[in-house]
Amino acid sequence: MGEIQQNYRKRKTIYLGLIAALFAILIAFRFIAPEGEHKVTSLEAMMIVSLIGIVVAIYAVFRCPKCKTALVPAYSASWGKLNHCPKCGVNLSGK
Ligand SMILES: [Zn+2]
C-alpha cells in the first residue's frame, strides 16, 4: 500500500468518526431540547456550534491526498466505495 492510500485511509477514519459524532450530537439534541417554542439555551448553542465545527472539519479533513479535492460528495455518491479521486483519478483504495 502506497503513501496516498495510507493517507486516504487515515482521512477516511477521521471522516467516519466525525460523522458518528455528528449523529450522536443530533440524537442527543432531540432528547435535550424541550418541546415547543423556547429560548435557545447555552447548551443548545454549544451543540449548534460543535455541529458547524464538525461539518467544517469533515470538509477540511476528507480531501484527496494528492490534489486536495473535497471527497465528501463523491464518497457519499459512491456509497463508501470510492476507489479513485474524481478529479485527478489517483487510486485511493489500493484496489
Ligand atoms: Zn485527487
Side-chain angles (χ1 to χ4, degrees), residues 14-83:
I14 298 168
Y15 165 76
L16 293 173
L18 287 169
I19 293 282
L22 199 77
F23 275 99
I25 291 175
L26 283 174
I27 291 163
F29 202 81
R30 272 205 60 83
F31 285 104
I32 286 166
E35 292 283 320
E37 295 264 323
H38 64 283
K39 276 191 171 176
V40 176
T41 64
S42 56
L43 182 64
E44 285 175 309
M46 221 172 69
M47 284 173 122
I48 291 165
V49 170
S50 28
L51 282 178
I52 295 167
I54 288 172
V55 172
V56 170
I58 284 172
Y59 274 87
V61 167
F62 200 35
R63 289 175 176 273
C64 171
K66 199 178 169 196
C67 69
K68 309 293 177 214
T69 296
L71 295 174
V72 178
Y75 186 81
S76 317
S78 74
W79 297 97
K81 290 185 171 57
L82 189 66
N83 290 326

Side-chain angles (χ1 to χ4, degrees), residues 1-15:
M1 193 179 279
E3 206 178 300
I4 295 265
Q5 287 81 27
Q6 271 178 350
N7 192 308
Y8 171 71
R9 267 180 66 155
K10 210 162 69 189
R11 286 164 189 259
K12 193 168 84 172
T13 307
I14 298 168
Y15 165 76

